[in-house]
Amino acid sequence: MAKAPQPGDIDFLTADRFSALGDTPVIIADLPGWNLPEPAVQAVCIGIDAEGRLPPVDPGQFDILVTTAKQAPAPWVSIEHARLESHLRDLAQAAHHWPAAATILCRVLRISETIPFSHALDVESLAYSTLLGGAEFQRWRIARGPLPLPGSDDSEVLVERDEDLVTVTLNNPGSQNAMTAGMRDALHGALANILDDPTAPKLRLRANGRCFSTGGALGEFGSATDLSQAHIVRTLRSCARLLHSLGGRGQVYLQGACVGSGIEIPAAAGRRIAGPDAWFQLPELRMGLIPGAGGTASIARAIGRHRTAWMVLSGRRIRAEQALAWGLVHEIAR
């Protein structure tokens, strides 16, 4: 009987070998000529094109597709041939170390691909609350230890209106605009007012300081004691939902670090403009979590679920140029 892959192993599977593998959270299949067994397995399915030939493949069978071809079209992720093996090992190790978060992420992305945006946010939040109660998140929380909450002497969100344009500014540069519950609620209130305004003003969302936002304030992670109520609050106060509802009226300006919710929320805007120094990252898997501020809906609709899964599993930063090529941003401007 074939031995299940151990953390760090790269196992190239074929359909006839799968049944003997046992329980594994990741499958790495050399393409072409591999078909996902039915029913679909509870694993992260990664297809690789080591020769860079971009063979015809059914994307529905995979969660991530990696190729050595340069500047490959969606849904492929291009990796240099010399770095392919180490990169695959990193992806496999991530799935083995956080198997619940990794497999739930891929399930959420698959489900969300075919349902309305608002429903996708609900699915994401339910999964996020599930993982908050899981062992992988608790392991991260214990290793992290207690952290202080970021403070601010000023209003965390500024709102200014000039005729038919409302400018909303994240305003806690001292904490790199970490998205505290207070900042999220203030941003939600500002967006709700714009959406409800009968004059239908346009929105410009920006941030003070060197970066747009480094994402959720880590000191608040795990502070919810009732995870069902946390789900309700998360969905009722979803800034991504309101930005998506604004459609073409919403424009966001991104600079520096755009991490976690710092890209998940703005990715829902109708128009996204990045500075040349902007970079983007989804680090939640290393906490035993998945994106929880709307990213499995907003980012996946911008760049596709395969590249979104890659961003989360790899945890890698992507620069403004790559974000533009993928469609995460529409323009790079100073």
Side-chain angles (χ1 to χ4, degrees):
M1 179 177 292
K3 182 182 178 182
Q6 300 302 307
D9 288 352
I10 297 177
D11 213 43
F12 299 98
L13 307 181
T14 58
D16 60 341
R17 287 186 57 202
F18 176 75
S19 60
L21 262 178
D23 200 12
T24 178
V26 61
I27 297 171
I28 300 179
D30 204 1
L31 299 173
W34 187 84
N35 292 313
L36 184 66
E38 293 293 342
V41 294
Q42 290 286 343
V44 179
C45 296
I46 303 173
I48 63 165
D49 166 33
E51 301 301 321
R53 296 176 180 175
L54 299 175
V57 62
D58 177 7
Q61 295 188 339
F62 297 94
D63 299 300
I64 298 174
L65 287 167
V66 178
T67 180
T68 57
K70 295 181 179 180
Q71 298 178 338
W76 297 95
V77 175
S78 297
I79 299 294
E80 293 177 10
H81 192 278
R83 297 172 48 235
L84 179 63
E85 185 173 349
S86 64
H87 183 66
L88 292 173
R89 194 174 303 280
D90 289 344
L91 294 178
Q93 287 178 331
H96 275 282
H97 199 65
W98 296 279
T103 55
I104 286 174
L105 165 75
C106 292
R107 286 293 169 182
V108 167
L109 288 170
R110 285 176 177 267
I111 293 168
S112 299
E113 193 174 33
T114 58
I115 61 178
F117 188 87
S118 61
H119 295 177
L121 295 179
D122 293 339
V123 171
E124 176 189 277
S125 182
L126 287 167
Y128 190 85
S129 277
T130 297
L131 290 168
L132 282 175
E136 293 173 12
F137 174 68
Q138 297 307 319
R139 184 177 69 202
W140 172 81
R141 192 180 180 195
I142 291 169
R144 175 208 68 184
L147 291 174
L149 295 177
S152 174
D153 297 330
D154 303 307
S155 175
E156 290 188 295
V157 175
L158 305 177
V159 180
E160 300 174 280
R161 179 158 187 168
D162 183 9
E163 297 182 350
D164 68 341
L165 176 66
V166 178
T167 300
V168 177
T169 306
L170 306 185
N171 186 46
N172 195 351
S175 73
Q176 298 181 305
N177 295 312
M179 189 68 66
T180 62
M183 178 181 282
R184 178 205 61 195
D185 291 348
L187 177 59
H188 183 273
L191 296 176
N193 287 338
I194 296 170
L195 191 61
D196 292 342
D197 191 322
T199 65
K202 296 178 182 178
L203 163 71
R204 177 171 58 193
L205 176 60
R206 57 180 297 274
N208 283 332
R210 296 192 301 173
C211 70
F212 183 82
S213 173
T214 53
L218 295 184
E220 292 185 347
F221 277 52
S223 59
T225 56
D226 186 328
L227 299 184
S228 61
Q229 288 297 314
H231 158 69
I232 292 170
V233 170
R234 194 180 303 112
T235 51
L236 288 179
R237 298 178 186 172
S238 171
C239 297
R241 190 189 305 269
L242 297 183
L243 261 181
H244 181 263
S245 298
L246 282 168
R249 291 163 55 194
Q251 192 169 79
V252 61
Y253 294 80
L254 302 161
Q255 79 271 7
C258 305
V259 179
S261 59
I263 182 55
E264 296 174 55
I265 292 171
R271 182 76 178 170
R272 302 175 294 275
I273 301 171
D277 65 335
W279 55 270
F280 311 90
Q281 185 179 26
L282 297 175
E284 290 91 344
L285 188 73
R286 274 67 185 169
M287 307 172 198
L289 298 172
I290 65 173
T296 61
S298 62
I299 295 176
R301 277 161 171 73
I303 68 174
R305 68 172 176 87
H306 298 81
R307 287 172 167 176
T308 303
W310 176 84
M311 283 189 69
V312 178
L313 249 74
S314 71
R316 291 194 176 189
R317 300 178 181 183
I318 66 171
R319 300 291 176 179
E321 294 80 5
Q322 187 173 0
L324 178 64
W326 281 10
L328 185 56
V329 300
H330 299 103
E331 180 185 348
I332 298 176
R334 293 187 179 276

